[in-house]
């Protein structure tokens, strides 16, 4: 691949997909959204140990409120497949933009809309955490920020990369049209 290597972003979106399609459902749906409820209190597998570790710093995930259950369900059922689509097709899109082929013309707008939704949902989550839990002794906002900020940084970086690729594709298309 040339100037617009997307391998790092592709790996990041595979991590997002794993988180949304495997890791999160193993907690949410096995434990009925209650980390220490009767469905999960006696379980000790690695997934629940990781959730318990995180919940030490983010009390929202001990008993997940209804609005966050909805957001997490959207993460699993809508964002999860979208992460996978982005991870699978990003290299092909970058290659086509660099090599003057234009078969994936809907991928760029798809990524832009999806990343906008992803950043929006993450910002809403951060706003709740920082506005309503800033003085909660069971919530460490620094840990919440460090663990979740990749869901802002990755989409922003990918948005800039896709915009650059779309610009390159359009420039190449204009050159091709002028040459004809």
């Amino acid at each position: 691949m040339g100037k617009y290597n997307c391998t790092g972003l592709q790996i990041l979106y595979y991590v997002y997909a794993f988180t949304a399609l495997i890791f999160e459902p193993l907690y949410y749906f096995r434990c009925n959204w209650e980390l220490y409820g009767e469905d999960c209190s006696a379980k000790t597998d690695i997934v629940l140990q990781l959730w318990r570790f995180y919940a030490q710093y983010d009390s929202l995930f001990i008993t997940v409120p209804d609005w966050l259950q909805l957001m997490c369900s959207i993460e699993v059922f809508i964002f999860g497949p979208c992460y996978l689509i982005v991870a699978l097709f990003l290299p092909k899109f970058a290659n086509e933009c660099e090599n003057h082929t234009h078969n994936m013309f809907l991928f760029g707008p798809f990524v832009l809309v999806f990343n906008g939704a992803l950043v929006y949902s993450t910002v809403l989550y951060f706003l709740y955490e920082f506005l309503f839990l800033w003085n909660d002794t069971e919530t460490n906002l620094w840990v919440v920020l460090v663990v979740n900020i990749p869901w802002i940084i990755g989409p922003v970086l990918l948005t800039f990369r896709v915009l650059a690729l779309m610009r390159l594709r359009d420039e190449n298309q204009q050159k091709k049209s002028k040459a004809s």
Side-chain angles (χ1 to χ4, degrees), residues 96-166:
E96 286 192 3
C97 289
E98 290 185 58
N99 294 316
H100 317 298
T101 55
H102 306 286
N103 299 325
M104 296 186 63
F105 59 90
L106 292 178
F107 184 78
F110 167 78
V111 169
L112 297 178
V113 170
F114 170 55
N115 281 339
L118 179 54
V119 169
Y120 175 76
S121 68
T122 307
V123 166
L124 285 179
Y125 169 69
F126 280 151
L127 282 173
Y128 185 86
E129 290 276 3
F130 283 87
L131 291 175
F132 298 106
L133 299 178
W134 64 272
N135 64 349
D136 181 352
T137 58
E138 294 178 15
T139 298
N140 183 325
L141 295 178
W142 287 108
V143 173
V144 170
L145 184 65
V146 167
V147 168
N148 293 288
I149 200 70
W151 275 262
I152 298 266
I153 294 172
V156 169
L157 291 175
L158 182 58
T159 295
F160 284 119
R161 179 61 49 92
V162 166
L163 287 171
L165 287 165
M166 290 171 69

Side-chain angles (χ1 to χ4, degrees), residues 35-36 49 51-59 62 137-140:
L35 192 54
Y36 295 103
Q49 288 176 16
W51 276 108
R52 287 184 184 115
F53 176 78
Y54 180 70
Q56 293 176 58
Y57 303 102
D58 189 352
S59 61
I62 293 173
T137 58
E138 294 178 15
T139 298
N140 183 325

Side-chain angles (χ1 to χ4, degrees), residues 77-89:
F77 294 111
I78 297 174
F79 289 2
C82 291
Y83 294 136
L84 202 52
I85 289 168
V86 170
L88 290 171
F89 292 102

Side-chain angles (χ1 to χ4, degrees), residues 166-177:
M166 290 171 69
R167 191 170 24 257
L168 176 66
R169 181 190 62 199
D170 293 344
E171 289 169 2
N172 290 336
Q173 186 65 33
Q174 288 174 354
K175 289 177 188 175
K176 193 175 180 180
S177 295

